[in-house]
Amino acid sequence: MNRFFSSVRLAALVSLAASAGIVHAADRGTVDRMYVLECGESKTSDVSANWSPGVDVGVAREFSDNCYLIRHGSRLFLWDSGMPDAIAAKPEGVSAANGLLTLWVRKTLASQLRALGIAPTDVTDIAFSHFHSDHVGNANLFTSARLYIQEPEYDAAFGPNATKFGFNPALYAKLEANPTTKLHGDHDVFGDGSVVIVSTPGHTPGHQSLLVRLPKRGAVVLSGDMVHFRENWIHRRVPARNFDKDETLRSMEKVAALLESEHAELWINHDKAQSATIPKAPQAIE
Ligand SMILES: [Zn+2]
């Protein structure tokens, strides 16, 4: 790396770090606890076909797909809803993405919530990293929750050209009637800094991430599909199926600065190896 590039990069990082000062010193509340739910898994026979273009050609890869349920006082916030529970009826799996992927749901989201004593209508607040079908697969269950969504994602998902963005409106159509907060950037959900939606566009027009402050474990950033696994994060690789590559790269630098300023862990939804290290419901994470 030459010196000019590194000083430009440093300046960019400094300005990103300033803009990543999303949580103010006075607003460092914590949630009560979080449950990580297993909301599907998938396998491709060639990871280079979409996820790491040009790299690891012909190499198979498996992916996790998690949902995250957060308890904050009397409120229950759900982040992502995984693949459709209907896939559980096909133990042999379902082919998707023109045969690139096989999908499985081993335990339904509904059954995992039930095991926690929670009905879908108990969920008071909901947000999705983005509206691809492995994240909004069970969205229609949560008709009582307030929806938090970036306006560009709303316009893409609920507009006339949703399928052109790779969305399947039948999976989330009921949410159109939910109370909705349309966002234009970062948003402190409970007003105490404990759960902050972080605008990270690129993978889709209004892709977002989530900063969660846990009382014991500390801060965690859930990065949705900004990247799909650790190697792509380290090498800043953008998948082929992505709305805006430059925006995705900018979002990665924003999250890198946020991890630094908040001393946060990065949890990558589809990174199966990392997911295996994270306790799953019914165990709570504090
Ligand atoms: Zn995904």
Side-chain angles (χ1 to χ4, degrees):
M1 188 190 296
N2 67 44
R3 203 191 296 163
F4 171 75
F5 180 72
S6 72
S7 69
V8 166
R9 190 175 150 86
L10 182 64
L13 276 175
V14 167
S15 82
L16 276 163
S19 67
I22 289 161
V23 180
H24 302 108
D27 299 326
R28 288 180 181 264
T30 56
V31 302
D32 298 331
R33 57 191 172 275
M34 176 161 72
Y35 298 96
V36 180
L37 309 150
E38 293 171 276
C39 290
E41 52 194 86
S42 59
K43 182 176 184 177
T44 180
S45 56
D46 183 358
V47 71
S48 75
N50 176 36
W51 297 270
S52 54
V55 177
D56 288 338
V57 176
V59 174
R61 186 155 189 130
E62 296 178 21
F63 302 101
S64 52
D65 191 350
N66 295 330
C67 307
Y68 307 83
L69 182 71
I70 295 163
R71 167 66 74 180
H72 184 288
S74 61
R75 307 268 287 271
L76 266 179
F77 180 101
L78 183 69
W79 176 254
D80 279 345
S81 69
M83 296 176 192
D85 278 355
I87 292 174
K90 308 233 173 197
E92 70 280 15
V94 168
S95 178
N98 300 319
L100 264 183
L101 274 175
T102 307
L103 316 177
W104 293 268
V105 170
R106 312 278 187 200
K107 295 185 243 183
T108 63
L109 172 58
S111 71
Q112 292 176 80
L113 291 175
R114 207 177 306 125
L116 293 170
I118 292 164
T121 47
D122 294 336
V123 173
T124 56
D125 303 87
I126 193 165
F128 304 90
S129 57
H130 64 298
F131 269 56
H132 282 155
S133 53
D134 55 325
H135 298 261
V136 295
N138 298 300
N140 283 335
L141 292 175
F142 302 98
T143 48
S144 330
R146 173 166 290 278
L147 171 67
Y148 302 84
I149 180 171
Q150 303 292 330
E151 188 152 36
E153 194 81 353
Y154 189 95
D155 292 346
F158 293 100
N161 299 312
T163 56
K164 288 190 185 159
F165 292 94
F167 299 155
N168 176 1
L171 292 176
Y172 55 78
K174 288 186 180 174
L175 293 189
E176 198 162 11
N178 283 37
T180 298
T181 301
K182 290 186 193 174
L183 305 177
H184 306 270
D186 305 330
H187 180 69
D188 182 350
V189 175
F190 299 118
D192 61 359
S194 62
V195 175
V196 181
I197 293 171
V198 180
S199 172
T200 50
H203 185 62
T204 58
H207 183 280
Q208 52 193 11
S209 300
L210 197 72
L211 171 68
V212 184
R213 288 180 182 288
L214 295 158
K216 295 179 184 161
R217 182 140 185 162
V220 171
V221 172
L222 309 176
S223 59
D225 284 9
M226 184 188 74
V227 291
H228 289 84
F229 45 86
R230 181 177 151 80
E231 298 92 315
N232 278 5
W233 166 246
I234 291 168
H235 298 290
R236 300 294 194 263
R237 283 186 205 127
V238 177
R241 188 178 172 228
N242 192 79
F243 178 69
D244 187 318
K245 183 175 182 177
D246 289 341
E247 271 199 333
T248 296
L249 290 168
R250 279 195 293 276
S251 290
M252 287 188 201
E253 294 309 326
K254 179 179 180 177
V255 167
L258 183 65
L259 296 176
E260 183 115 353
S261 67
E262 301 300 325
H263 309 291
E265 295 179 56
L266 178 64
W267 287 6
I268 302 174
N269 192 331
H270 294 307
D271 189 313
K272 188 175 178 179
Q274 182 189 40
S275 179
T277 69
I278 297 170
K280 302 296 186 318
Q283 194 178 331
I285 304 175
E286 301 183 327

